[in-house]
Amino acid sequence: MIDGFSQTLFERKTVVVTGAGRGIGAAIAQGFLDCGARVVAHVGRGMEHAQADLLERVRDTERDRLTLLTADLSGPGAGGDLARMVLQGLDGPVHALVNNAGTMEGRFAAESVTKAEFDRVVDLNIRSVVELTTALLPALKAAEGAAIVNTSSISATVGGSPGSSLYSASKAFISTWTRALARELAPDGIRVNAVSPGTIMTDFHRRYSSEEKLARTAASIPLQRLGEADDCAPAYLFLAAPELSGYITGQIVEVNGGQFMG
Ligand SMILES: NC(=O)c1ccc[n+]([C@@H]2O[C@H](COP(=O)([O-])OP(=O)(O)OC[C@H]3O[C@@H](n4cnc5c(N)ncnc54)[C@H](OP(=O)(O)O)[C@@H]3O)[C@@H](O)[C@H]2O)c1
């Protein structure tokens, strides 16, 4: 539950969130539901994580406003296929699209990166995001005041840690694409921004970072702790709500406890 936002902020609005089965995406989807939205949640490749995380968070009274979709986004065409699934279930415009699904796919040493590794990272973190967004643009334009909120990363600016070169560069694409889209889509009334999380304790870091590395990172952060998914979600809601951020577009909002200050 996110305190501080009106429970009617997104009433009668439709929001699409990808990667919402767990981690940051589950917190975002819950936040939109708490604020009255109808949420189309892409929960990942299967339902198992959604049952353990997203559905644990959602209250019974909110379930009728929640649609769950699954899709593997790691291949060419997958973003377009997901868009068709989303559009099939819609009876009106899309007011906000949150592109959140993504991951590092592994730590790959720069000297031995394979074509398959390169393709997996690019297909998931870049291609699927572009495909989904492109296919949903007519539905976003129809909302007359829609918002796109992308998910970049602190690593897009600072370069990440060893083994993350493909991932970090894929997120730099997302940051630059966000600014370019913001300019191009402004005449259509669509604002485009991104949230750039720092080190957030989700399965992402449980998979890819050691406890020692995380402890060192926490000690170096000005606010003296790692982030949580619930630290990130309010920034997405803020950027999606024209009432709160109607004059903000093309911005990357850093949510990192002061770990990086641009
Ligand atoms: N955690 C951090 O510190 C951090 C920092 C900067 C940026 N980010 C970004 O924030 C976003 C959310 O990350 P998170 O920390 O919440 O990670 P997470 O807990 O691992 O969740 C990632 C989400 O993306 C989905 N996903 C991953 N691979 C997929 C695939 N091939 N096809 C479809 N869906 C897939 C996952 O679904 P499955 O359940 O199917 O895997 C899951 O729903 C990502 O874009 C990540 O890069 C995270």
Side-chain angles (χ1 to χ4, degrees):
M1 175 75 191
I2 295 183
D3 292 327
F5 287 100
S6 155
Q7 288 176 5
T8 58
L9 188 57
F10 293 101
E11 216 167 38
R12 289 183 291 279
K13 295 198 172 171
T14 299
V15 179
V16 177
V17 184
T18 67
R22 56 185 162 136
I24 295 170
I28 297 168
Q30 183 206 354
F32 279 114
L33 285 168
D34 289 349
C35 294
R38 285 184 301 254
V39 175
V40 180
H42 159 263
V43 295
R45 287 161 283 192
M47 285 298 298
E48 54 284 3
H49 290 121
Q51 268 148 13
D53 196 346
L54 177 62
L55 293 179
E56 280 286 301
R57 288 170 165 268
V58 172
R59 285 176 294 194
D60 287 344
T61 52
E62 298 175 331
R63 298 253 170 135
D64 62 334
R65 288 187 279 111
L66 176 63
T67 303
L68 303 178
L69 300 174
T70 59
D72 188 338
L73 296 174
S74 63
D81 292 344
L82 176 59
R84 277 185 282 284
M85 278 193 258
V86 170
L87 291 168
Q88 262 169 20
L90 285 185
D91 55 4
V94 172
H95 298 87
L97 167 63
V98 175
N99 286 309
N100 167 76
T103 190
M104 199 137 76
E105 292 281 4
R107 288 198 181 269
F108 309 126
E111 62 186 357
S112 58
V113 168
T114 66
K115 179 180 181 303
E117 289 162 351
F118 179 87
D119 286 346
R120 276 213 322 270
V121 174
V122 168
D123 283 343
L124 174 61
N125 293 335
I126 297 179
R127 196 187 306 275
S128 79
V129 178
V130 174
E131 285 178 355
L132 176 66
T133 304
T134 304
L136 291 186
L137 277 181
L140 286 156
K141 284 183 188 174
E144 298 182 359
I148 298 170
V149 189
N150 297 317
T151 302
S152 183
S153 166
I154 187 172
S155 66
T157 307
V158 305
S161 49
S164 77
S165 59
L166 298 179
Y167 171 76
S168 303
S170 74
K171 291 299 187 178
F173 175 100
I174 293 296
S175 293
T176 301
W177 182 69
T178 295
R179 297 188 189 97
L181 271 195
R183 207 177 285 283
E184 187 170 332
L185 299 181
D188 296 308
I190 301 177
R191 296 177 304 108
V192 189
N193 293 288
V195 174
S196 171
T199 306
I200 311 300
M201 271 318 291
T202 64
D203 293 338
F204 182 100
H205 280 292
R206 288 183 199 107
R207 258 191 323 267
Y208 300 127
S209 302
S210 67
E211 296 223 346
E212 300 71 46
K213 179 175 184 292
L214 290 169
R216 277 198 309 278
T217 302
S220 73
I221 292 174
L223 291 184
Q224 288 288 293
R225 66 175 177 85
L226 302 174
E228 302 286 337
D230 290 321
D231 291 316
C232 299
Y236 289 85
L237 269 67
F238 168 74
L239 290 171
E243 297 86 344
L244 303 179
S245 59
Y247 196 51
I248 299 178
T249 196
Q251 304 304 313
I252 315 298
V253 175
E254 306 285 343
V255 179
N256 60 31
Q259 191 175 359
F260 161 72
M261 301 184 194

